[in-house]
């Protein structure tokens, strides 16, 4: 009878390992965004189907936020559009700025023409003035832009998958070069429950930093 094997989970805290961790999270976010956009593309709410329209727009809004969060040239381990060859040309650069504008003006923030409301007064002879309003709110991409967004997410996702493969090989090599003493000294790998961090906004917003 063979003896049971005890496995310990140890945290690897090299810059390459932290980059790999961020890439794996991006991969998850991009897959989620891709699924959300494809579900939304298949949904064609009928007229006055308010529930269907709300679900479709929510899926698109979530995808916008998830995808834009993967980019940040000033943030450690985030993607830089210029470094993703399949979306580095001017066409895709312009399209990403279009998506980023939708995040800033509608999905995550509130300014610009995608969300408007004006209070107005009806005035006429023999009729007392009455107030009303006119309202306009963005309701989703045109079909062509929706398809382009799915293509954009797919291209970025393939780049991230390639980076994951490369960084996994690097981290495995680092691991193979560690002595048994170094491996034993590694701290335990733990996932922190989000609620336990909610002691302050500063702590909750802690980001990985390159060393």
């Amino acid at each position: 009878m063979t003896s049971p094997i005890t496995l310990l989970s140890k945290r690897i805290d090299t810059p390459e390992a932290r980059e790999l961790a961020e890439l794996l999270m991006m991969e998850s976010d991009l897959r989620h965004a891709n699924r959300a956009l494809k579900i939304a593309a298949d949904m064609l709410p009928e007229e006055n189907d308010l529930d269907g329209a709300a679900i479709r727009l929510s899926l698109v809004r979530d995808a916008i936020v998830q995808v834009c969060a993967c980019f940040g040239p000033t943030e450690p381990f985030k993607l830089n559009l210029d470094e993703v060859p399949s979306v580095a040309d001017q066409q895709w650069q312009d399209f990403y700025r279009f998506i980023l504008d939708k995040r800033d003006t509608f999905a995550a923030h509130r300014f610009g023409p995608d969300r408007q409301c004006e209070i107005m007064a009806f005035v006429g002879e023999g009729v007392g003035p009455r107030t009303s309003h006119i309202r306009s709110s963005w309701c989703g991409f045109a079909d062509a832009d929706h398809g382009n967004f799915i293509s954009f997410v797919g291209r970025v996702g393939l780049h991230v998958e390639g980076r994951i493969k490369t960084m996994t090989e690097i981290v495995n090599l680092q691991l193979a070069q560690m002595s048994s003493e170094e491996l034993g000294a590694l701290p335990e790998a733990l996932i922190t429950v989000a609620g336990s961090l909610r002691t302050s906004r500063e702590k909750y917003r802690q980001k990985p930093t390159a060393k």
Side-chain angles (χ1 to χ4, degrees), residues 128-165:
R130 292 182 295 116
T131 60
S132 186
H133 68 272
I134 182 170
R135 181 172 58 195
S136 173
S137 183
W138 186 68
C139 58
F141 296 111
D143 289 345
D145 288 330
H146 197 108
N148 285 335
F149 197 11
I150 292 174
S151 179
F152 179 86
V153 174
R155 288 165 179 259
V156 176
L158 287 174
H159 171 79
V160 168
E161 288 177 12
R163 288 293 299 157
I164 287 173
K165 182 179 179 180

Side-chain angles (χ1 to χ4, degrees), residues 119-133:
I119 304 300
M120 58 187 182
F122 289 118
V123 182
E125 293 185 9
V127 179
R130 292 182 295 116
T131 60
S132 186
H133 68 272

Side-chain angles (χ1 to χ4, degrees), residues 29-56:
D29 290 343
L30 290 167
R31 285 180 176 175
H32 178 94
N34 195 45
R35 282 195 293 268
L37 288 169
K38 288 180 176 178
I39 293 170
D42 292 336
M43 291 182 66
L44 294 173
E46 297 180 1
E47 188 175 358
N48 298 323
D49 180 7
L50 300 182
D51 289 346
I55 292 170
R56 190 174 193 271

Side-chain angles (χ1 to χ4, degrees), residues 102-124:
K102 291 302 178 190
R103 184 203 66 176
D104 291 343
T105 63
F106 182 81
H109 306 293
R110 296 290 186 270
F111 66 87
D114 285 333
R115 192 170 173 273
Q116 303 179 60
C117 184
E118 292 285 345
I119 304 300
M120 58 187 182
F122 289 118
V123 182

